[in-house]
Amino acid sequence: QDLLLVMDGWDELPSNLHTESLFQKLIAFPETLNLHLSTVVITSRPIASSDLYRCISSRVEILGFTPTEVKDYFTEVLGGESQAIQKLQNQLKERPLIAASCYLPLNAAIVCHLFRAQDYKLPTTLHELFTLLVLGCLKRHVAKQKRERKRQHITSLDNLPLDLQQFFKDVCTLAYHGVMDNCVTFPLEYLKTHGLPTISETLGLMQGMESFTTLESSPSFYFLH
């Protein structure tokens, strides 16, 4: 009683742990662990939460920014610079799909970052927006790896240096299969079958986490949010 358990990232668990793990027992059979008087809070993206509905007593959804909050966020991030704020708002009016995505705080942060990085000019489509984001991740990865190549030489995903092309193609294939299989986490063995033997080969587009649900650690990986 009076115990609060927070399980963050249910959607990032390997799929087998949704049905065969301590986590599942906490949710579906708390009485077996003598926790039926406790409170369990679970966070998840909607894409993976449907199997939780039969077990939970209440559901709370984060709706994101309101239009007013989006404007307040832009004002704060841009330091109150009225000209920059007005320029961003004018460009968003011409790009309704990008504007509509800003209710998600992460997307709003991406928009602000690229707006400043691209000399106060937004890309025209969501595809261009996330292409620039991926390109930035690749440049950062190259810089961290201290390769003998200047970051500015990587200017297009269609014309990557030869030593990055195959790895990028493998990462794209992995992302495609993740969408088709409704999977957001990938065990290391799965990465290896797609030509990605280590996390370094994911070019900074994925992160790893360790699961200790057994006696041995079990690494799995997921794409940057």
Side-chain angles (χ1 to χ4, degrees):
Q1 190 173 2
D2 298 327
L3 176 65
L4 173 64
L5 299 172
V6 180
M7 297 166 54
D8 183 28
W10 172 262
D11 55 300
E12 295 177 5
L13 285 174
S15 57
N16 65 298
L17 294 184
H18 285 186
T19 56
E20 301 176 2
S21 70
L22 176 62
F23 304 110
Q24 196 268 346
K25 291 180 181 179
L26 282 172
I27 300 167
F29 307 105
E31 65 278 357
T32 63
L33 300 175
N34 200 28
L35 293 174
H36 58 285
L37 296 179
S38 303
T39 300
V40 179
V41 177
I42 309 163
T43 67
S44 174
R45 293 185 184 89
I47 189 175
S49 61
S50 58
D51 56 344
L52 295 173
Y53 294 164
R54 60 183 177 81
C55 307
I56 59 178
S57 58
S58 60
R59 176 185 171 196
V60 177
E61 183 175 354
I62 298 177
L63 299 178
F65 284 153
T66 65
T68 300
E69 289 170 336
V70 170
K71 183 177 180 181
D72 291 343
Y73 176 79
F74 289 156
T75 300
E76 181 176 349
V77 172
L78 295 176
E81 299 179 20
S82 58
Q83 290 185 345
I85 296 167
Q86 188 61 50
K87 189 173 183 178
L88 175 57
Q89 290 178 333
N90 290 340
Q91 292 184 34
L92 286 174
K93 289 179 181 178
E94 300 171 355
R95 300 159 173 80
L97 290 180
I98 294 179
S101 74
C102 289
Y103 81 95
L104 292 173
L106 180 58
N107 286 353
I110 292 171
V111 165
C112 282
H113 169 73
L114 292 178
F115 177 68
R116 292 187 295 185
Q118 298 295 119
D119 195 24
Y120 297 96
K121 184 177 181 181
L122 284 178
T124 57
T125 66
L126 280 173
H127 178 268
E128 292 177 1
L129 182 82
F130 288 106
T131 295
L132 286 173
L133 181 64
V134 171
L135 199 61
C137 289
L138 293 180
K139 291 179 180 180
R140 183 180 64 177
H141 172 75
V142 168
K144 285 185 176 181
Q145 295 297 313
K146 297 182 179 179
R147 303 188 186 208
E148 296 180 357
R149 183 192 303 117
K150 293 183 179 180
R151 284 191 291 175
Q152 57 265 34
H153 287 175
I154 303 177
T155 58
S156 170
L157 297 181
D158 297 322
N159 191 28
L160 292 174
L162 290 176
D163 60 327
L164 298 181
Q165 287 180 11
Q166 186 58 50
F167 288 136
F168 184 67
K169 181 179 178 181
D170 292 337
V171 170
C172 291
T173 301
L174 182 68
Y176 170 79
H177 285 291
V179 172
M180 298 304 294
D181 298 336
N182 194 24
C183 179
V184 295
T185 59
F186 309 88
L188 181 58
E189 294 73 19
Y190 196 83
L191 263 67
K192 291 179 179 179
T193 63
H194 285 78
L196 303 167
T198 68
I199 187 64
S200 177
E201 274 69 49
T202 64
L203 307 178
L205 299 175
M206 299 186 74
Q207 291 180 323
M209 62 180 178
E210 294 282 342
S211 174
F212 292 92
T213 54
T214 61
L215 294 179
E216 297 181 358
S217 64
S218 175
S220 57
F221 302 89
Y222 57 93
F223 283 93
L224 299 179
H225 292 0

